[in-house]
Amino acid sequence: MRLQEIKKTRIVIASVLKPVDDTRMFEKLGATLAEYAEVHIIGYASRVVSNHPSIFFHSLQPFNRLSIGRILASWKIFKKVMKIKPDTLIITTHELLVIGVLSKIILSCTLLYDVQENYARNIFYTNAFPKILRPLIAAYVRSKEWIAAPFVNHFLVAERGYEKELKFIRNKKTSIENKVKRMEIVAQKKNDGNIHLLFTGTLAETTGVFKAIELAEQLHKVNSAVRLTIMGYCSQQTTLEKIRKSIHEKNFIQLVGGDYLIPHSEILTAIQSAHFGIIAYAENRSIVNSIPTKLYEYLGYQLPILMVDYKPWNEITKRYSASIPFNIAQLNPEETLHQMKNKSFYVLSPQDVFWESEAEKLLKIVFDN
């Protein structure tokens, strides 16, 4: 495949809940494809307007997470797709499967489904929906995926583990993992005499934000120099209020974001200036085959990690001496602080955590279909 000879094509990447400058949609998929195509990204409105000569952003009007506005958003996206008339449509959520299939039939476009989560499993095993409704919603989502599968030209899967979990993708799949994209951002480590911990990404009980708070509290009791910055977005108001209550009057913990999305460049700057990152997911069957995006980010910027003692992730970090495993229920804060001070981190530089390898696979899929 000689990309230099590819005729300019029009590509739409669409999501309902992700912002138009979402890390995966914009910085990875969008920016990679925009080198050879005209790219349109449809998604939730962002606080920051990003610029790119070959990418056009189409922001949806704000709506509540559980509302009629969310249902109508899919059809608003459909209208935009009909107007843009893409050669390739990439949908990034099960919510757009129906309009994706309709678009393929009407426009004869290539349809790619970027499977970012095992949605049915996540619905079933997390508390995003009332417990009594979870089996029904999970079954509905999986049924949509099975019915739509014959219309999908190719499945992009964000986790290698999904290739085993998701039977409907059959032999039309390629793993395009959420590895870190090298960015020209240079930030110095904070040098104020404190120990700066960082928790980034989605703020939820399942992602371990409350474990991170408890970890910081226990370490701070032993060493008052410990500081924690929580940086990310929380979609559930009750969880956000619980976070705020948990850190109230704890001046060594600060929340950045919470009720608004943080530009990814700010998160990468924070990663470079912190001393330790925290990965503290709660044990849940929804993450059994997942690798957190922030694991790639922390490894890529060689940030030492305080990480829950989960064997598959520890196997990844062990080869680089990148992490200290912890169990919050059996934490020995003195021993953890001793390791933080004396362990030699990153005896080898991670090489298999960067986006370039995934970009090559993405270009082959999109322009060979």
Side-chain angles (χ1 to χ4, degrees):
M1 179 179 61
R2 297 180 64 184
L3 290 172
Q4 294 85 351
E5 298 178 1
I6 289 174
K7 180 184 176 182
K8 276 284 187 180
T9 57
R10 188 175 294 130
I11 299 171
V12 167
I13 307 172
S15 175
V16 174
L17 289 179
K18 299 287 186 181
V20 289
D21 61 350
D22 170 68
T23 307
R24 184 172 175 89
M25 282 205 305
F26 168 45
E27 294 179 4
K28 296 175 183 176
L29 303 184
T32 299
L33 296 172
E35 294 183 35
Y36 309 99
E38 175 185 306
V39 174
H40 296 255
I41 298 180
I42 306 172
Y44 208 75
S46 173
R47 290 171 61 239
V48 178
V49 179
S50 300
N51 293 311
H52 193 288
S54 298
I55 298 180
F56 301 87
F57 300 95
H58 306 264
S59 297
L60 302 170
Q61 292 296 318
F63 53 84
N64 292 326
R65 181 173 164 273
L66 299 177
S67 68
I68 190 68
R70 180 171 178 176
I71 297 172
L72 294 175
S74 294
W75 297 102
K76 290 179 180 178
I77 291 172
F78 179 63
K79 287 176 65 177
K80 290 180 183 291
V81 171
M82 289 297 102
K83 185 176 180 180
I84 297 168
K85 294 181 172 57
D87 301 288
T88 298
L89 172 61
I90 304 175
I91 57 171
T92 65
T93 170
H94 66 87
E95 292 179 76
L96 296 178
L97 279 169
V98 173
I99 72 108
V101 171
L102 287 175
S103 299
K104 179 181 175 65
I105 293 171
I106 295 170
L107 300 175
S108 298
C109 61
T110 298
L111 178 61
L112 305 180
Y113 179 16
D114 183 33
V115 187
Q116 299 184 3
E117 302 176 30
N118 184 338
Y119 296 104
R121 180 191 285 268
N122 287 2
I123 290 167
F124 192 86
Y125 289 112
T126 64
N127 60 1
F129 295 95
K131 191 171 184 178
I132 193 170
L133 296 178
R134 290 175 204 166
L136 295 174
I137 298 173
Y140 166 68
V141 169
R142 185 64 84 232
S143 297
K144 274 197 305 182
E145 290 175 324
W146 271 105
I147 293 168
F151 296 91
V152 177
N153 293 81
H154 205 83
F155 294 91
L156 316 179
V157 289
E159 305 276 2
R160 276 174 290 177
Y162 295 166
E163 295 188 19
K164 295 182 293 184
E165 294 178 11
L166 305 174
K167 304 303 181 185
F168 63 85
I169 63 179
R170 297 178 181 174
N171 61 347
K172 300 190 296 183
K173 82 278 188 180
T174 302
S175 62
I176 305 291
E177 296 178 275
N178 275 320
K179 296 184 179 180
V180 63
K181 188 172 182 181
R182 302 176 202 258
M183 302 188 75
E184 294 180 3
I185 298 174
V186 179
Q188 300 297 318
K189 295 290 182 188
K190 292 180 179 177
N191 189 22
D192 57 4
N194 292 315
I195 304 169
H196 290 276
L197 315 182
L198 180 67
F199 181 94
T200 58
T202 302
L203 308 184
E205 190 155 357
T206 53
T207 62
V209 64
F210 297 108
K211 280 187 181 180
I213 292 170
E214 185 176 350
L215 174 64
E217 287 177 332
Q218 292 202 42
L219 296 178
H220 184 266
K221 286 178 182 177
V222 178
N223 187 337
S224 61
V226 170
R227 301 286 184 270
L228 170 63
T229 297
I230 301 169
M231 180 176 280
Y233 176 68
C234 182
S235 62
Q236 294 184 307
Q237 188 61 34
T238 53
T239 302
L240 180 56
E241 291 305 318
K242 185 178 176 182
I243 293 170
R244 287 171 171 160
K245 185 176 180 181
S246 298
I247 66 175
H248 182 61
E249 294 186 348
K250 296 183 176 73
N251 59 8
F252 61 94
I253 303 177
Q254 67 166 332
L255 171 64
V256 180
D259 55 0
Y260 62 88
L261 295 162
I262 308 294
H264 192 233
S265 59
E266 291 184 18
I267 291 175
L268 294 183
T269 300
I271 289 172
Q272 291 186 77
S273 59
H275 298 125
F276 290 89
I278 300 176
I279 297 179
Y281 284 76
E283 288 188 23
N284 190 291
R285 290 185 64 181
S286 67
I287 63 165
V288 65
N289 288 315
S290 297
I291 299 174
T293 299
K294 61 181 157 187
L295 178 53
Y296 289 126
E297 292 176 341
Y298 295 172
L299 289 172
Y301 287 98
Q302 298 195 21
L303 177 66
I305 307 167
L306 300 173
M307 188 165 69
V308 288
D309 195 5
Y310 183 54
K311 185 177 179 180
W313 300 346
N314 282 316
E315 288 297 318
I316 295 172
T317 61
K318 186 165 61 176
R319 70 190 76 158
Y320 310 117
S321 185
S323 68
I324 298 172
F326 75 89
N327 181 331
I328 198 67
Q330 301 172 355
L331 186 72
N332 182 331
E334 291 85 358
E335 174 59 25
T336 301
L337 285 163
H338 177 77
Q339 290 187 63
M340 291 165 65
K341 181 178 180 182
N342 294 288
K343 182 172 180 174
S344 296
F345 294 97
Y346 292 99
V347 293
L348 291 175
S349 296
Q351 298 298 323
D352 59 347
V353 299
F354 296 103
W355 171 251
E356 285 84 352
S357 61
E358 310 308 295
E360 291 179 11
K361 292 187 286 182
L362 174 67
L363 291 170
K364 183 173 176 59
I365 293 162
V366 172
F367 293 112
D368 278 359
N369 265 292

